[in-house]
Amino acid sequence: MAEQEASGLQVLLRTLQSSSDKASILTILQVLGDLLSVGTDRRIHYMISKGGSEALLQTLVDTARTASPDYDILLPLFRLLAKVGLRDKKFGQKALELEALDVTLILTRKNLSHSHNLLHCLWVLRVFASSVTTGAMLGINGAMELLFKVITPYTRKHTQTIRAATEVLAALLKSKSNSRRAVNRGYVTSLLRLHQDWHSHDTFNTFVMIRRGLLLCLQHIATFRSGREAFLAAQGMETLFSITQNCLDNKGMEPVISVMLQILRQCYPESPLPLVTASSAYAFSVPGSIAAEPPPALSEEDFEDEGDEEVEKDSDSEDVKEEDDLETDVEKLSSKPGLDRPEEELMQYESMCLELSYSFEELESKSGDESNSEDSQYTNHHHIPIAASPKQHCLKKDQTSWGQEKEDTVQTSLLSTVKMGRSTVHLSSKKRPVMNIYHDMQSKGLGINSLGNDIPDIQTSPKEDAWDIEAISCPRMSAFFSNSTSPREAGEAIDKLLHIHPKHIPFHDPCLYMAKARRTRSVVDFKMVAFPDIWGHCPPPSAQSMLERKCGVQRIKILEDVQRFTQPSDVINKVIFSLDKPWPLQDTASSCLKFFSKFESGNLRKAIQVREFEYDLLINADVNSCQHQQWFYFKVSGMRADIPYRFNIINCEKPNSQFNYGMQPTLYSLKEALLGRPSWIRTGNEICYYKNHYRQRAAATGGASGKCYYTLTFVVTFPHDEDVCYLAYHYPYTYTALMTHLDLLGKSVNPRQVYFRQEVLCHTLGGNPCPLVTITAMPESSSTDHLEQFRHRPYQVITARVHPGESNASWVMKGTLEFLVSSDPVARLLRENFIFKIIPMLNPDGVINGNHRCSLRGEDLNRQWLSPQAHLQPTIYHAKGLLHYLCSIGRRPVVFCDFHGHSQKKNVFLYGCSVKETLWQAGCTVSASTLLEDVNYRTLPKILDKLAPAFTMSSCSFLVEKSRASTARVVVWREMGVSRSYTMESSYCGCNQGPYQGLQFGTSELEEMGAMFCLGLLILELKSISCSHQLLNQAATLLNAEDALDYHLQRRSSSSSNTSELDDEPACMEEIDYSTDSSMDQEGNFAELDRQIQECALNMDEEEEEEGAGRRTESIP
């Protein structure tokens, strides 16, 4: 049957080419038209494959070259050519070979006064012009000059033809040669005048598509430098800016507004960042390396070219964007390389595993009375990091015994929380309108702190005037420590402050923090400490909803940027803070804001006042680098309450951000903290993230555009006059906070029950100790059986914060650590059955110095796991060495997990490693008999998907990419043979599924995730074949008829499976596309052309029917 259809179609096409009979040709064209007007495009592609395009083009040439071309044949032929040509990728080349281009141009010239015939000619020219090659040829043959005879000033006649002409011209101008020709002949000015004329007369927006066509012509010309220069010279920026401002709120103008905005951004002159150098303001000389020369100053033509950022992958993300990146070499996927160091070197890690050799004789030597007297040294915080926890239990100075607090505290267990499900506090928060949470708190009463205790009002406190808010906000370390070694004298100043404004925060001690801060070593030797880090953070009482994006906000911000160019006199452009200039820049008498960032994890390089309440901010690149600008953390003061201040961070690097999808930056107010609300909260509105006009260039590229930058803009309305606030990309968590936290954790445990050992894995390049923590349960006694059980416990290895800007990973780690030392029954079971080796911060130097991604050498440490060197990447070298040591003594970890943060996706999810899934995704054939793989790598993420509200299985991936070959996840999987080797990613933003859907993550939710991860490890063990009967019995008792938890997990699983989860964010609804050739636009234009052709064909059929009826009427006698 198919052969008959093929032969029938071929017969029609051959007849069409050879026949000179008008009736036969018309009949064939009618049959082909009917055939292609129904069904899908498959029919058209089938016809193309049988030579349909060539047959139609040949018929066009033959018909047009007759002495008197017959338009009864040409018009349906033109419609068929346009329909088929849209789907034939080689249509332009075929037309060139058959000389159809010249024929069509000749017919167009002949029909300038016959609009109906001209319209059909233009449709075919539109298809020809879709190919750059044929478009260039049409330009050479005078097509543009011809089109300008059709495109007239405003008229109400032949508007369909004029619109078609503008669309043909726009398509032609995608050719560089045509655009250059248009510039040389002054068409830019002509197009601007035509657009102004149509815009001024088209008051009812009847001809928006003609105006859009003229703008598309300008947009394509502006793709090239000469076109932009001509546009600027013709005052195009001022013209379009004025038009856009006046019609921004007119929805009927949408097709025009979007193109005008693209032109304005496209033609905004590119410029270098307002920095003296692209490199970081901080430099560090790595021991043993040649000192780097000072970086050259930035200039317009001397910038580094990083390539096309539009195809650049998110460096934080492990998402697979291109299948070419998948590793398809089975040998590389399955091989287990040897040690990267001499085997004898591994013995140095024996001292880091003292739990395997320690005798624990003191367990028998101490009496109960003696142990009770020792217990008075320890304060056990039974704080379990659960987002649903109604209260925060915290360190009080009068608590003297872990046992006493245990009796006094009623703490909901983790299992109870899991069974109960989502906190009512958080559920209710979803119903609250989005507003400034500080104002929400104030409306409930200023005199109540986060724990519900009455406190004096800051405005009425008689001693409040004595405090210097500015001095308190970022105190010098020396202000709290004299030369005396007396702890009483050392903490006198801060104790006075704490006495007047008491606060209670779990595992936080301001005096201890200050002591630790003095020992933290930074590149530039920070002298100041940020107030939030000293004072501490209590999560706000409820989660915050994602910000609902206001329609049109991005366009407004872009127009305000353009206004700087069109009206430069309105711009203040005053530098008020800079790391590059040592002298003070801020005038104390000035009304502008004051900025500061020279403290741990701080990152603000420069602040420029643009308008009275608007500031451009530049964040510092990573030390010894000229890139990775994303993390920010800085102090701002001198504000007025209830005034919207706009902040523009203008040197961001990533092509997209969760700031476009509901995420807000975080803010900490000093006055709110002194009022008893020491909280980092999400803040800001009118938030958007978009490409700006700043570029990097390199002399080697000959001036070609290099790396683009992006602007994060947001508006903050501060809660108090003359407050001191801190703004950050995410909830900060400093290295000093970690060291303080670990000390307090160690003091909180009962040493006869919990084995908690903190030691130094190694020292960093900056001279800071990298902590290694071991947590397990003490053996019941020093008997042989108990010691044997103790020493044969499997290992779990967890690491975090290899990327300094991923502070969310530290909050998850905080939750893990606090849970593991807590009195929760699940934590006790975990300690009794596992030994946890935890490296909570793999990149202390980066965290301290405000880096986003790199070490002090300017390199990504999570790309150094293949061949780390002790003197260059010490933390990675020794972390890998410790893992090799555990494997060498037969103690391979059950699970290895590296905690990270993710900037472009929501929820929490895992990345793992699978040979089969990688090969299958890459399209390689995999033989199940020759390639065996344990599928248990999927078990833990499946458990977490059912267990943790923030976790989603749908975003997990188990593919191994070539570009990730040197990451911790892949190296530990390949070299150590740990099948459950994971990266756990936590969103900076929040959740779009499950109980937390529509909410941003707070620190409570992140800490909860850390605790849930631990519970997942226990359930993973319970599901394993090797699980001991003793653990199963203990777990059965603990779970109180295990079915209850199983039922809950099944319920969560079934409910979460119904949630539609988007792996990647959709395009922002008002995203500005700066590319010169959008395939989506092309598809849309072709669909519109199809519609016009179909509509025209129907109208002609109706006209023919009416004429036929009229003739029949006339023939009746």
Side-chain angles (χ1 to χ4, degrees), residues 243-443:
I243 294 173
T244 308
Q245 266 196 322
N246 295 329
C247 61
L248 199 59
D249 297 329
N250 190 333
K251 292 184 179 180
M253 293 276 289
E254 179 60 32
V256 171
I257 294 170
S258 61
V259 182
M260 281 195 290
L261 282 168
Q262 291 183 44
I263 296 172
L264 288 171
R265 288 302 299 119
Q266 213 170 346
C267 294
Y268 198 121
E270 296 179 1
S271 63
L273 289 169
L275 293 173
V276 295
T277 171
S279 300
S280 172
Y282 301 148
F284 177 78
S285 179
V286 180
S289 66
I290 301 173
E293 294 182 3
L298 295 184
S299 66
E300 178 69 26
E301 298 297 329
D302 188 17
F303 290 81
E304 181 182 354
D305 183 9
E306 288 288 337
D308 185 3
E309 85 295 333
E310 293 297 338
V311 297
E312 184 181 281
K313 298 175 79 170
D314 176 15
S315 55
D316 279 351
S317 164
E318 292 212 21
D319 301 333
V320 177
K321 301 257 176 106
E322 297 178 9
E323 289 188 4
D324 291 344
D325 192 36
L326 294 177
E327 182 57 78
T328 56
D329 188 330
V330 179
E331 291 297 322
K332 290 183 179 180
L333 286 169
S334 56
S335 65
K336 301 290 187 293
L339 283 173
D340 59 355
R341 66 199 75 194
E343 191 169 353
E344 55 270 18
E345 275 195 26
L346 296 182
M347 294 312 296
Q348 66 180 302
Y349 303 105
E350 183 178 7
S351 63
M352 297 181 190
C353 300
L354 293 180
E355 64 274 6
L356 298 179
S357 57
Y358 196 54
S359 64
F360 297 98
E361 293 176 358
E362 71 279 4
L363 288 175
E364 300 298 329
S365 64
K366 293 183 179 178
S367 64
D369 292 339
E370 288 172 330
S371 63
N372 285 338
S373 65
E374 257 190 34
D375 290 341
S376 63
Q377 302 176 50
Y378 305 98
T379 306
N380 190 0
H381 304 254
H382 288 265
H383 168 73
I384 300 174
I386 304 298
S389 177
K391 291 187 177 182
Q392 300 285 351
H393 302 286
C394 44
L395 177 61
K396 299 180 181 179
K397 293 186 179 180
D398 59 346
Q399 291 172 347
T400 57
S401 168
W402 60 268
Q404 178 182 344
E405 189 186 75
K406 184 174 181 179
E407 293 172 4
D408 296 341
T409 302
V410 178
Q411 175 67 54
T412 303
S413 71
L414 181 61
L415 285 177
S416 300
T417 304
V418 170
K419 292 178 183 179
M420 287 186 298
R422 186 72 166 88
S423 162
T424 55
V425 173
H426 288 291
L427 285 176
S428 64
S429 71
K430 291 180 69 175
K431 301 173 184 177
R432 293 166 51 234
V434 178
M435 62 176 69
N436 187 321
I437 195 167
Y438 281 145
H439 290 291
D440 194 27
M441 289 176 174
Q442 291 167 10
S443 68

Side-chain angles (χ1 to χ4, degrees), residues 128-142:
F128 290 157
S130 63
S131 164
V132 175
T133 304
T134 52
M137 187 60 66
L138 286 169
I140 292 171
N141 292 332

Side-chain angles (χ1 to χ4, degrees), residues 274 276 574-590 592-596 598 604-609:
V276 295
K574 177 184 177 183
V575 178
I576 56 174
F577 172 79
S578 176
L579 293 180
D580 301 306
K581 296 182 180 180
W583 59 87
L585 296 170
Q586 301 186 5
D587 181 3
T588 54
S590 173
C592 66
L593 295 177
K594 302 175 182 64
F595 295 86
F596 188 75
K598 296 178 183 177
L604 177 67
R605 182 169 183 173
K606 193 172 187 177
I608 305 169
Q609 185 178 18

Side-chain angles (χ1 to χ4, degrees), residues 64-93:
R65 285 178 173 170
T66 59
S68 179
D70 191 338
Y71 284 92
D72 289 340
I73 294 175
L74 286 173
L75 294 186
L77 183 58
F78 277 139
R79 291 196 293 271
L80 270 176
L81 278 167
K83 196 175 189 68
V84 172
L86 293 176
R87 281 86 179 172
D88 189 347
K89 294 181 179 179
K90 297 182 179 179
F91 193 71
Q93 185 61 36

Side-chain angles (χ1 to χ4, degrees), residues 546-563:
M546 291 182 196
L547 182 69
E548 187 173 340
R549 185 174 176 126
K550 187 191 299 183
C551 183
V553 63
Q554 180 170 306
R555 292 176 170 183
I556 293 170
K557 301 305 178 187
I558 289 175
L559 280 178
E560 288 177 6
D561 287 350
V562 173
Q563 192 173 9

